[in-house]
Amino acid sequence: MDYIRGITFAPFAGRGVLSREESRESLRKMQERTGADTVVLAPGGLQKNAHATEIDYGSGRTMSDEELRSFIRFARALGMRVFLKPTVNCADGTWRAYIRFFDEDVPCEPKWKDWFAAYTDFQVHYARIAEETGCEMFIAGCEMVMTEHREAEWRRLIQEIRQVYQGPVSYNTDKYQEHNVKWWDCVDVISSSGYYPADDWENQLDRIEAVVTAFGKPFFFAETGCMSTSGSSGRPNDWELEGTWNLTEQDMWYKSAFEAIGNRPWVRGIALWSWDASLSSEAEAKGGRFYEIYGKPAEARVRAFFRARRERKE
């Protein structure tokens, strides 16, 4: 598998966002400024809460199918690979990792079978678009931690996706969960969210390597990154962290991550979180304390890492 130099672009964008010229210009800048060769697009589906069994992806809160197809064609015209990662979220703000139901059906309660039927419809819908538009990879969701023990349902879902999409299929588990997924054999590529503390990368890569070796599959980080907030290098996936603005700490986290990842040839790439559809001035961007790297010191470090990987022709 060619090395993945990727970034997630405008995740969960609402209707009309990808149709704007500023979104196309932002993608051009992302490619030019970072050297990324892959864009991950994440159409969002919404369920009411963690125990709902209906998933809505037809409202104005989700990009339309046609604008998604058009944006995929645009990205491919730039020479970029496109990975499609449909992702469900909860409208009430509950993290999707907490979606779950009773393991035994109870007549008066929501059920796994109903949720998986809705989730399968959601995933297969976008798998068809991935096939139609020539996407280079399909990622069947992200960080669905409390669903992952439902092995039989996940295996059926992957089979359904393969009925309509002929390319490689992956699934993006969450940080620290790589060893808990028992059905990696049914996907083509193992992927996870690499939000690990700056001083703990080696330990976590040792643990993940054992999983990758056991299943004999390629691996990449379908998400990774760090906010430019004081304290984020130790808690890079903590959205509730209330530190001060700190560009140096974000940059040093990337330095640590890239040094560790670069010494592991079995890690076949990364997809950073994330790049905005609308860019402010560089001066304004430097004042942001979240994941975006545009205009920050970390952007130059990403560019150097991606350039080095390109020159090694991995």
Side-chain angles (χ1 to χ4, degrees):
M1 185 173 77
D2 291 342
Y3 201 88
I4 296 162
R5 297 178 277 122
I7 302 178
T8 299
F9 183 86
F12 323 133
R15 189 69 50 88
V17 171
L18 296 185
S19 298
R20 300 170 186 162
E21 180 55 35
E22 66 178 340
S23 296
R24 297 191 174 207
E25 182 59 27
S26 181
L27 184 67
R28 288 190 197 97
K29 286 187 177 181
M30 185 187 93
Q31 182 188 38
E32 292 168 359
R33 295 175 66 104
T34 68
D37 69 352
T38 302
V39 58
V40 179
L41 299 176
L46 277 177
Q47 58 185 74
K48 185 177 180 180
N49 53 50
H51 309 301
T53 58
E54 295 181 358
I55 299 172
D56 176 22
Y57 52 97
S59 74
R61 299 181 69 174
T62 301
M63 61 188 72
S64 72
D65 291 350
E66 188 45 50
E67 68 179 310
L68 175 59
R69 290 187 183 99
S70 178
F71 201 80
I72 291 170
R73 290 192 293 267
F74 173 72
R76 290 174 59 79
L78 293 178
M80 304 191 78
R81 293 183 291 182
V82 180
F83 295 178
L84 202 58
K85 186 174 75 170
T87 303
V88 68
N89 289 300
C90 298
D92 68 355
T94 302
W95 181 30
R96 57 187 170 274
Y98 293 111
I99 294 171
R100 75 164 302 155
F101 308 92
F102 294 150
D103 282 334
E104 294 187 13
D105 285 359
V106 176
C108 58
E109 300 294 343
K111 301 168 180 61
W112 277 116
K113 66 179 182 181
D114 297 329
W115 183 83
F116 266 103
Y119 191 73
T120 299
D121 287 345
F122 173 60
Q123 291 293 327
V124 170
H125 174 83
Y126 287 105
R128 289 193 178 96
I129 293 176
E131 179 68 16
E132 293 167 9
T133 55
C135 291
E136 283 80 359
M137 187 179 294
F138 186 83
I139 305 172
C142 176
E143 301 171 355
M144 308 296 292
V145 177
M146 300 189 81
T147 75
E148 291 170 359
H149 72 290
R150 303 291 294 191
E151 182 175 348
E153 288 95 332
W154 273 102
R155 289 182 180 277
R156 284 195 294 271
L157 168 63
I158 301 301
Q159 289 175 352
E160 291 292 324
I161 289 169
R162 292 193 187 280
Q163 294 299 308
V164 300
Y165 176 72
Q166 303 306 307
V169 177
S170 185
Y171 166 71
N172 176 184
T173 192
D174 192 31
K175 60 196 180 298
Y176 303 104
Q177 305 302 317
E178 296 91 348
H179 63 287
N180 288 324
V181 177
K182 308 305 182 187
W183 39 271
W184 287 129
D185 59 289
C186 76
V187 300
D188 301 298
V189 180
I190 298 171
S191 62
S192 72
S193 293
Y195 298 107
Y196 293 115
D199 62 357
D200 198 33
W201 271 102
E202 298 295 347
N203 290 331
Q204 298 308 323
L205 288 169
D206 285 345
R207 178 182 56 79
I208 298 168
E209 184 172 7
V211 177
V212 173
T213 300
F215 283 95
K217 301 283 185 175
F219 173 87
F220 81 108
F221 287 109
E223 286 188 22
T224 190
C226 180
M227 295 190 292
S228 49
T229 301
S230 292
S232 284
S233 64
R235 294 159 60 184
N237 196 220
D238 187 351
W239 285 91
E240 297 182 358
L241 189 66
E242 296 184 357
T244 56
W245 166 77
N246 194 325
L247 300 183
T248 300
E249 184 168 351
Q250 181 188 43
D251 185 37
M252 289 300 98
W253 181 91
Y254 273 102
K255 180 176 186 292
S256 298
F258 289 162
E259 287 177 352
I261 290 169
N263 291 326
R264 307 284 179 137
W266 52 269
V267 179
R268 299 306 303 152
I270 60 173
L272 304 181
W273 189 273
S274 60
W275 192 275
D276 286 344
S278 179
L279 299 178
S280 57
S281 69
E282 287 194 49
E284 291 174 320
K286 284 185 173 67
R289 65 178 188 87
F290 294 107
Y291 286 97
E292 290 70 25
I293 60 171
Y294 170 64
K296 300 176 182 178
E299 182 186 60
R301 193 170 298 278
V302 168
R303 182 167 59 251
F305 180 76
F306 282 171
R307 182 187 301 118
R309 290 292 156 172
R310 184 181 67 245
E311 291 172 352
R312 287 168 61 170
K313 300 186 187 308
E314 289 190 279

Short mmCIF file of all heavy atoms in Angstrom, two decimals, residues 171-214:
data_model
loop_
_atom_site.label_atom_id
_atom_site.label_comp_id
_atom_site.label_asym_id
_atom_site.label_seq_id
_atom_site.Cartn_x
_atom_site.Cartn_y
_atom_site.Cartn_z
N TYR A 171 -11.81 0.32 8.57
CA TYR A 171 -12.66 0.84 9.65
C TYR A 171 -11.74 1.56 10.62
O TYR A 171 -10.64 1.08 10.92
CB TYR A 171 -13.42 -0.27 10.38
CG TYR A 171 -14.02 0.20 11.69
CD1 TYR A 171 -15.10 1.08 11.70
CD2 TYR A 171 -13.46 -0.17 12.92
CE1 TYR A 171 -15.62 1.56 12.90
CE2 TYR A 171 -13.98 0.30 14.11
CZ TYR A 171 -15.04 1.17 14.11
OH TYR A 171 -15.55 1.66 15.28
N ASN A 172 -12.16 2.72 11.12
CA ASN A 172 -11.35 3.58 11.97
C ASN A 172 -11.78 3.43 13.43
O ASN A 172 -12.75 4.05 13.87
CB ASN A 172 -11.53 5.02 11.48
CG ASN A 172 -10.83 6.09 12.32
OD1 ASN A 172 -10.98 7.27 12.04
ND2 ASN A 172 -10.07 5.72 13.33
N THR A 173 -11.08 2.58 14.18
CA THR A 173 -11.38 2.46 15.61
C THR A 173 -10.73 3.62 16.36
O THR A 173 -9.97 4.41 15.80
CB THR A 173 -10.89 1.12 16.18
OG1 THR A 173 -11.47 0.94 17.49
CG2 THR A 173 -9.37 1.04 16.29
N ASP A 174 -11.05 3.73 17.64
CA ASP A 174 -10.55 4.85 18.43
C ASP A 174 -9.19 4.52 19.02
O ASP A 174 -8.73 3.37 19.03
CB ASP A 174 -11.55 5.18 19.54
CG ASP A 174 -11.24 6.51 20.21
OD1 ASP A 174 -10.70 7.41 19.54
OD2 ASP A 174 -11.50 6.64 21.43
N LYS A 175 -8.53 5.54 19.53
CA LYS A 175 -7.27 5.37 20.26
C LYS A 175 -7.44 4.34 21.37
O LYS A 175 -8.51 4.21 21.97
CB LYS A 175 -6.86 6.72 20.87
CG LYS A 175 -7.91 7.26 21.83
CD LYS A 175 -7.72 8.70 22.13
CE LYS A 175 -8.80 9.19 23.11
NZ LYS A 175 -10.17 9.08 22.53
N TYR A 176 -6.40 3.57 21.63
CA TYR A 176 -6.35 2.54 22.68
C TYR A 176 -7.26 1.35 22.43
O TYR A 176 -7.35 0.46 23.28
CB TYR A 176 -6.67 3.14 24.06
CG TYR A 176 -5.77 4.27 24.47
CD1 TYR A 176 -6.20 5.59 24.41
CD2 TYR A 176 -4.46 4.02 24.90
CE1 TYR A 176 -5.37 6.64 24.77
CE2 TYR A 176 -3.63 5.07 25.27
CZ TYR A 176 -4.09 6.38 25.21
OH TYR A 176 -3.26 7.41 25.57
N GLN A 177 -7.95 1.30 21.30
CA GLN A 177 -8.92 0.23 21.06
C GLN A 177 -8.47 -0.78 20.00
O GLN A 177 -9.18 -1.74 19.74
CB GLN A 177 -10.27 0.83 20.62
CG GLN A 177 -10.84 1.86 21.56
CD GLN A 177 -11.06 1.30 22.96
OE1 GLN A 177 -11.54 0.18 23.12
NE2 GLN A 177 -10.72 2.09 23.97
N GLU A 178 -7.33 -0.56 19.39
CA GLU A 178 -6.92 -1.39 18.27
C GLU A 178 -6.93 -2.89 18.61
O GLU A 178 -7.33 -3.72 17.79
CB GLU A 178 -5.51 -1.00 17.79
CG GLU A 178 -5.42 0.41 17.23
CD GLU A 178 -5.07 1.47 18.28
OE1 GLU A 178 -5.12 1.15 19.50
OE2 GLU A 178 -4.77 2.60 17.89
N HIS A 179 -6.53 -3.23 19.83
CA HIS A 179 -6.44 -4.64 20.21
C HIS A 179 -7.79 -5.24 20.61
O HIS A 179 -7.90 -6.45 20.79
CB HIS A 179 -5.46 -4.82 21.37
CG HIS A 179 -5.89 -4.10 22.62
ND1 HIS A 179 -5.84 -2.74 22.77
CD2 HIS A 179 -6.41 -4.59 23.78
CE1 HIS A 179 -6.29 -2.41 23.96
NE2 HIS A 179 -6.65 -3.51 24.61
N ASN A 180 -8.82 -4.41 20.72
CA ASN A 180 -10.13 -4.91 21.13
C ASN A 180 -11.02 -5.32 19.97
O ASN A 180 -12.04 -5.99 20.18
CB ASN A 180 -10.85 -3.85 21.97
CG ASN A 180 -10.24 -3.69 23.35
OD1 ASN A 180 -9.80 -4.68 23.94
ND2 ASN A 180 -10.20 -2.47 23.85
N VAL A 181 -10.70 -4.90 18.76
CA VAL A 181 -11.50 -5.28 17.59
C VAL A 181 -11.10 -6.68 17.15
O VAL A 181 -9.92 -6.92 16.84
CB VAL A 181 -11.30 -4.27 16.44
CG1 VAL A 181 -12.09 -4.71 15.21
CG2 VAL A 181 -11.72 -2.86 16.88
N LYS A 182 -12.05 -7.60 17.13
CA LYS A 182 -11.75 -9.01 16.83
C LYS A 182 -12.00 -9.37 15.38
O LYS A 182 -11.73 -10.51 14.98
CB LYS A 182 -12.59 -9.92 17.74
CG LYS A 182 -12.49 -9.60 19.23
CD LYS A 182 -11.04 -9.62 19.71
CE LYS A 182 -10.96 -9.34 21.21
NZ LYS A 182 -9.54 -9.19 21.66
N TRP A 183 -12.48 -8.45 14.59
CA TRP A 183 -12.87 -8.76 13.21
C TRP A 183 -12.04 -8.03 12.17
O TRP A 183 -12.47 -7.84 11.03
CB TRP A 183 -14.37 -8.46 13.01
CG TRP A 183 -14.87 -7.22 13.69
CD1 TRP A 183 -15.38 -7.10 14.96
CD2 TRP A 183 -14.90 -5.89 13.14
NE1 TRP A 183 -15.71 -5.80 15.24
CE2 TRP A 183 -15.44 -5.04 14.14
CE3 TRP A 183 -14.54 -5.34 11.91
CZ2 TRP A 183 -15.61 -3.67 13.93
CZ3 TRP A 183 -14.71 -3.98 11.70
CH2 TRP A 183 -15.23 -3.16 12.71
N TRP A 184 -10.80 -7.70 12.52
CA TRP A 184 -9.93 -7.04 11.55
C TRP A 184 -9.67 -7.90 10.32
O TRP A 184 -9.33 -7.37 9.25
CB TRP A 184 -8.59 -6.68 12.19
CG TRP A 184 -8.59 -5.53 13.15
CD1 TRP A 184 -8.07 -5.53 14.41
CD2 TRP A 184 -9.06 -4.18 12.93
NE1 TRP A 184 -8.20 -4.30 15.01
CE2 TRP A 184 -8.81 -3.45 14.11
CE3 TRP A 184 -9.68 -3.55 11.86
CZ2 TRP A 184 -9.15 -2.10 14.25
CZ3 TRP A 184 -10.02 -2.20 11.99
CH2 TRP A 184 -9.76 -1.49 13.17
N ASP A 185 -9.82 -9.18 10.43
CA ASP A 185 -9.57 -10.05 9.28
C ASP A 185 -10.52 -9.78 8.13
O ASP A 185 -10.21 -10.11 6.97
CB ASP A 185 -9.67 -11.52 9.69
CG ASP A 185 -11.03 -11.86 10.26
OD1 ASP A 185 -11.36 -11.43 11.39
OD2 ASP A 185 -11.81 -12.56 9.58
N CYS A 186 -11.69 -9.16 8.39
CA CYS A 186 -12.66 -8.97 7.31
C CYS A 186 -12.50 -7.64 6.59
O CYS A 186 -13.22 -7.38 5.62
CB CYS A 186 -14.09 -9.15 7.83
SG CYS A 186 -14.74 -7.78 8.80
N VAL A 187 -11.57 -6.77 7.03
CA VAL A 187 -11.28 -5.55 6.28
C VAL A 187 -9.95 -5.70 5.57
O VAL A 187 -9.18 -6.62 5.84
CB VAL A 187 -11.28 -4.30 7.20
CG1 VAL A 187 -12.63 -4.13 7.88
CG2 VAL A 187 -10.16 -4.38 8.23
N ASP A 188 -9.66 -4.78 4.67
CA ASP A 188 -8.40 -4.82 3.93
C ASP A 188 -7.29 -4.04 4.63
O ASP A 188 -6.11 -4.35 4.47
CB ASP A 188 -8.60 -4.23 2.53
CG ASP A 188 -9.66 -4.99 1.75
OD1 ASP A 188 -9.47 -6.18 1.49
OD2 ASP A 188 -10.71 -4.37 1.42
N VAL A 189 -7.70 -3.02 5.38
CA VAL A 189 -6.74 -2.12 6.02
C VAL A 189 -7.23 -1.82 7.43
O VAL A 189 -8.40 -1.48 7.63
CB VAL A 189 -6.59 -0.80 5.24
CG1 VAL A 189 -5.59 0.12 5.91
CG2 VAL A 189 -6.19 -1.06 3.79
N ILE A 190 -6.36 -1.96 8.41
CA ILE A 190 -6.66 -1.58 9.80
C ILE A 190 -6.35 -0.09 9.96
O ILE A 190 -5.31 0.38 9.50
CB ILE A 190 -5.82 -2.40 10.79
CG1 ILE A 190 -6.14 -3.90 10.67
CG2 ILE A 190 -6.05 -1.92 12.22
CD1 ILE A 190 -5.20 -4.78 11.46
N SER A 191 -7.24 0.65 10.60
CA SER A 191 -6.95 2.06 10.87
C SER A 191 -7.50 2.47 12.22
O SER A 191 -8.44 1.86 12.74
CB SER A 191 -7.50 2.96 9.76
OG SER A 191 -8.91 2.89 9.66
N SER A 192 -6.89 3.50 12.79
CA SER A 192 -7.34 3.97 14.10
C SER A 192 -7.04 5.46 14.24
O SER A 192 -6.40 6.07 13.38
CB SER A 192 -6.64 3.19 15.22
OG SER A 192 -5.28 3.54 15.33
N SER A 193 -7.52 6.03 15.34
CA SER A 193 -7.29 7.43 15.65
C SER A 193 -6.05 7.53 16.55
O SER A 193 -6.06 7.06 17.69
CB SER A 193 -8.51 8.02 16.37
OG SER A 193 -9.62 8.07 15.50
N GLY A 194 -5.00 8.15 16.02
CA GLY A 194 -3.74 8.20 16.75
C GLY A 194 -3.58 9.45 17.59
O GLY A 194 -2.73 10.30 17.31
N TYR A 195 -4.39 9.55 18.63
CA TYR A 195 -4.29 10.70 19.54
C TYR A 195 -3.58 10.24 20.81
O TYR A 195 -4.22 10.03 21.85
CB TYR A 195 -5.67 11.25 19.86
CG TYR A 195 -6.42 11.77 18.65
CD1 TYR A 195 -7.50 11.06 18.11
CD2 TYR A 195 -6.06 12.96 18.04
CE1 TYR A 195 -8.19 11.53 17.01
CE2 TYR A 195 -6.75 13.45 16.94
CZ TYR A 195 -7.81 12.73 16.42
OH TYR A 195 -8.49 13.20 15.33
N TYR A 196 -2.28 10.09 20.73
CA TYR A 196 -1.51 9.59 21.87
C TYR A 196 -0.62 10.68 22.45
O TYR A 196 -0.11 11.54 21.72
CB TYR A 196 -0.68 8.38 21.44
CG TYR A 196 -1.55 7.19 21.09
CD1 TYR A 196 -1.60 6.68 19.80
CD2 TYR A 196 -2.36 6.62 22.06
CE1 TYR A 196 -2.42 5.62 19.49
CE2 TYR A 196 -3.19 5.55 21.76
CZ TYR A 196 -3.22 5.06 20.47
OH TYR A 196 -4.06 4.00 20.17
N PRO A 197 -0.42 10.66 23.78
CA PRO A 197 0.45 11.66 24.39
C PRO A 197 1.84 11.66 23.76
O PRO A 197 2.35 10.61 23.34
CB PRO A 197 0.51 11.23 25.87
CG PRO A 197 -0.76 10.45 26.07
CD PRO A 197 -1.02 9.75 24.78
N ALA A 198 2.46 12.83 23.72
CA ALA A 198 3.75 12.97 23.04
C ALA A 198 4.80 12.02 23.60
O ALA A 198 5.65 11.53 22.85
CB ALA A 198 4.23 14.41 23.16
N ASP A 199 4.73 11.74 24.89
CA ASP A 199 5.76 10.90 25.50
C ASP A 199 5.37 9.42 25.57
O ASP A 199 6.07 8.63 26.20
CB ASP A 199 6.09 11.40 26.92
CG ASP A 199 4.89 11.36 27.85
OD1 ASP A 199 3.77 10.98 27.40
OD2 ASP A 199 5.04 11.72 29.04
N ASP A 200 4.27 9.05 24.90
CA ASP A 200 3.80 7.66 25.00
C ASP A 200 3.68 6.97 23.64
O ASP A 200 3.15 5.87 23.55
CB ASP A 200 2.45 7.63 25.72
CG ASP A 200 2.10 6.24 26.25
OD1 ASP A 200 3.01 5.50 26.64
OD2 ASP A 200 0.90 5.89 26.23
N TRP A 201 4.17 7.61 22.59
CA TRP A 201 4.01 7.03 21.26
C TRP A 201 4.67 5.67 21.14
O TRP A 201 4.10 4.73 20.55
CB TRP A 201 4.58 7.98 20.19
CG TRP A 201 3.57 8.95 19.69
CD1 TRP A 201 3.44 10.26 20.04
CD2 TRP A 201 2.52 8.69 18.75
NE1 TRP A 201 2.39 10.85 19.38
CE2 TRP A 201 1.81 9.91 18.57
CE3 TRP A 201 2.11 7.57 18.04
CZ2 TRP A 201 0.71 10.01 17.72
CZ3 TRP A 201 1.03 7.67 17.18
CH2 TRP A 201 0.34 8.87 17.02
N GLU A 202 5.86 5.51 21.65
CA GLU A 202 6.57 4.24 21.49
C GLU A 202 5.80 3.09 22.14
O GLU A 202 5.67 2.00 21.55
CB GLU A 202 7.99 4.33 22.06
CG GLU A 202 8.89 5.34 21.37
CD GLU A 202 9.19 4.99 19.92
OE1 GLU A 202 8.92 3.85 19.49
OE2 GLU A 202 9.70 5.88 19.21
N ASN A 203 5.29 3.30 23.34
CA ASN A 203 4.52 2.25 24.02
C ASN A 203 3.29 1.87 23.21
O ASN A 203 2.97 0.68 23.06
CB ASN A 203 4.08 2.72 25.41
CG ASN A 203 5.23 2.84 26.37
OD1 ASN A 203 6.23 2.13 26.26
ND2 ASN A 203 5.11 3.75 27.32
N GLN A 204 2.58 2.87 22.71
CA GLN A 204 1.34 2.58 21.98
C GLN A 204 1.63 1.93 20.63
O GLN A 204 0.89 1.04 20.19
CB GLN A 204 0.53 3.86 21.80
CG GLN A 204 0.10 4.48 23.12
CD GLN A 204 -0.61 3.48 24.03
OE1 GLN A 204 -1.37 2.63 23.58
NE2 GLN A 204 -0.35 3.59 25.33
N LEU A 205 2.69 2.34 19.97
CA LEU A 205 3.05 1.71 18.70
C LEU A 205 3.48 0.26 18.90
O LEU A 205 3.18 -0.60 18.06
CB LEU A 205 4.15 2.51 18.00
CG LEU A 205 3.69 3.85 17.42
CD1 LEU A 205 4.90 4.70 17.01
CD2 LEU A 205 2.75 3.66 16.23
N ASP A 206 4.15 -0.04 20.01
CA ASP A 206 4.47 -1.44 20.32
C ASP A 206 3.20 -2.27 20.43
O ASP A 206 3.11 -3.39 19.91
CB ASP A 206 5.26 -1.53 21.63
CG ASP A 206 6.71 -1.09 21.49
OD1 ASP A 206 7.20 -0.99 20.34
OD2 ASP A 206 7.35 -0.84 22.53
N ARG A 207 2.21 -1.71 21.13
CA ARG A 207 0.95 -2.44 21.32
C ARG A 207 0.22 -2.63 19.99
O ARG A 207 -0.26 -3.73 19.68
CB ARG A 207 0.06 -1.65 22.31
CG ARG A 207 -1.30 -2.28 22.56
CD ARG A 207 -2.14 -1.41 23.50
NE ARG A 207 -2.29 -0.06 23.00
CZ ARG A 207 -3.16 0.30 22.05
NH1 ARG A 207 -3.94 -0.61 21.48
NH2 ARG A 207 -3.24 1.55 21.66
N ILE A 208 0.14 -1.58 19.18
CA ILE A 208 -0.56 -1.67 17.90
C ILE A 208 0.17 -2.62 16.96
O ILE A 208 -0.47 -3.38 16.21
CB ILE A 208 -0.69 -0.27 17.27
CG1 ILE A 208 -1.52 0.65 18.16
CG2 ILE A 208 -1.35 -0.37 15.89
CD1 ILE A 208 -1.47 2.12 17.76
N GLU A 209 1.49 -2.61 16.99
CA GLU A 209 2.25 -3.49 16.10
C GLU A 209 1.90 -4.95 16.32
O GLU A 209 1.83 -5.74 15.36
CB GLU A 209 3.74 -3.28 16.29
CG GLU A 209 4.58 -4.09 15.33
CD GLU A 209 6.06 -3.75 15.38
OE1 GLU A 209 6.46 -2.97 16.27
OE2 GLU A 209 6.80 -4.26 14.53
N ALA A 210 1.64 -5.33 17.56
CA ALA A 210 1.27 -6.72 17.84
C ALA A 210 -0.05 -7.07 17.15
O ALA A 210 -0.23 -8.19 16.65
CB ALA A 210 1.16 -6.93 19.35
N VAL A 211 -0.98 -6.12 17.11
CA VAL A 211 -2.26 -6.36 16.45
C VAL A 211 -2.06 -6.48 14.94
O VAL A 211 -2.59 -7.40 14.29
CB VAL A 211 -3.25 -5.20 16.75
CG1 VAL A 211 -4.56 -5.40 16.01
CG2 VAL A 211 -3.49 -5.08 18.25
N VAL A 212 -1.30 -5.56 14.38
CA VAL A 212 -1.06 -5.56 12.94
C VAL A 212 -0.36 -6.84 12.51
O VAL A 212 -0.71 -7.45 11.49
CB VAL A 212 -0.23 -4.32 12.55
CG1 VAL A 212 0.19 -4.37 11.08
CG2 VAL A 212 -1.01 -3.04 12.84
N THR A 213 0.60 -7.30 13.30
CA THR A 213 1.31 -8.54 12.99
C THR A 213 0.38 -9.74 13.07
O THR A 213 0.41 -10.62 12.20
CB THR A 213 2.49 -8.72 13.97
OG1 THR A 213 3.39 -7.61 13.84
CG2 THR A 213 3.24 -10.01 13.68
N ALA A 214 -0.47 -9.76 14.08
CA ALA A 214 -1.38 -10.91 14.27
C ALA A 214 -2.35 -11.04 13.10
O ALA A 214 -2.67 -12.17 12.67
CB ALA A 214 -2.13 -10.77 15.58
#
